[in-house]
């Protein structure tokens, strides 16, 4: 008796969970449709570019995510809008194995974060709705997390250097 009820409940829960998650193929199709249909109508919507880049990153389309993040809308240097671009770019470079470039982008992110939020611990958004939406779409790590990442990059680079020196001197087991 109770075993049949458990199986039914479990199957209902599993099927409802499956419905709530978007498959990578559906997400990819949605991102493509967004790019084809919406972007031409609103070519300067920073929030759409951030959402597009984040979706591409999550789909593992690193080259495309990088391209979207590198698309400049305004020539205003290290603007508040640069934060998500640095973060997406840093992640892309990390996943591609380009640790030097990833560290450089995280350093730029840290510098821009300090410039925009000198008194805050994190890189929280400003008061306007676009900044808050950008922060929800592409959450930027806080000051402490950025410092930890940079320390990790430095450690990995040092270990890489030591390993290369050991191989060059034929000091390996």
């Amino acid at each position: 008796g109770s075993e049949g009820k458990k199986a039914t409940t479990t199957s209902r829960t599993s099927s409802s969970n499956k419905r709530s998650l978007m498959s990578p193929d559906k997400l990819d199709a949605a991102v493509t449709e967004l790019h084809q249909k919406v972007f031409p109508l609103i070519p300067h919507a920073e929030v759409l570019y951030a959402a597009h880049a984040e979706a591409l990153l999550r789909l593992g389309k690193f080259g495309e995510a990088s391209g979207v993040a590198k698309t400049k809308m305004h020539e205003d240097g290290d603007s508040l809008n640069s934060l998500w671009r640095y973060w997406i770019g840093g992640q892309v470079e990390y996943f591609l194995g380009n640790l030097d470039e990833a560290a450089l982008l995280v350093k730029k992110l840290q510098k821009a974060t300090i410039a925009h939020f000198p008194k805050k611990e994190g890189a929280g958004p400003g008061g306007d709705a676009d900044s808050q939406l950008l922060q929800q779409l592409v959450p930027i790590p806080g000051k402490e997390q950025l410092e930890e990442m940079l320390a990790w990059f430095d450690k990995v680079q040092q270990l890489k250097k030591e390993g290369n020196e050991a191989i060059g001197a034929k000091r390996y087991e």
Side-chain angles (χ1 to χ4, degrees):
S2 64
E3 289 176 22
K5 288 181 184 179
K6 278 186 182 178
T8 306
T9 305
T10 305
S11 66
R12 245 187 271 139
T13 305
S14 297
S15 65
S16 67
N17 285 343
K18 288 179 187 175
R19 275 187 260 132
S20 65
L21 298 176
M22 186 178 280
S23 72
D25 292 337
K26 286 184 181 181
L27 179 59
D28 191 25
V31 167
T32 301
E33 185 174 352
L34 173 77
H35 187 74
Q36 291 172 348
K37 293 182 179 180
V38 178
F39 276 58
L41 301 173
I42 314 169
H44 301 292
E46 193 75 23
V47 171
L48 288 179
Y49 276 85
H52 189 200
E54 181 71 18
L56 290 168
L57 179 70
R58 289 178 186 218
L59 287 168
K61 295 185 173 194
F62 304 127
E64 291 176 53
S66 178
V68 172
K70 289 177 182 174
T71 303
K72 284 286 185 187
M73 304 232 175
H74 313 285
E75 293 303 320
D76 56 0
D78 276 345
S79 71
L80 190 57
N81 295 332
S82 297
L83 298 179
W84 73 265
R85 294 172 187 283
Y86 291 143
W87 181 232
I88 293 286
Q91 291 177 84
V92 165
E93 295 301 334
Y94 172 80
F95 288 126
L96 293 175
N98 304 324
L99 296 184
D100 290 335
E101 188 63 26
L104 179 67
L105 288 165
V106 171
K107 285 177 187 174
K108 285 182 177 183
L109 173 61
Q110 182 183 43
K111 181 181 173 187
T113 299
I114 291 168
H116 290 288
F117 309 104
K119 295 180 183 175
K120 291 187 179 179
E121 281 301 307
D128 68 22
D130 281 351
S131 294
Q132 290 177 5
L133 186 55
L134 275 171
Q135 179 66 16
Q136 289 175 356
L137 291 170
V138 184
I140 306 297
K143 181 181 173 183
E144 288 180 11
Q145 290 173 304
L146 291 173
E147 288 172 2
E148 288 173 11
M149 280 183 234
L150 290 172
W152 181 85
F153 280 126
D154 288 344
K155 183 176 181 178
V156 168
Q157 294 300 66
Q158 182 60 36
L159 291 171
K160 180 181 173 183
K161 180 181 172 187
E162 291 171 8
N164 287 341
E165 288 171 0
I167 295 292
K170 298 184 181 191
R171 292 180 307 200
Y172 46 85
E173 296 175 25

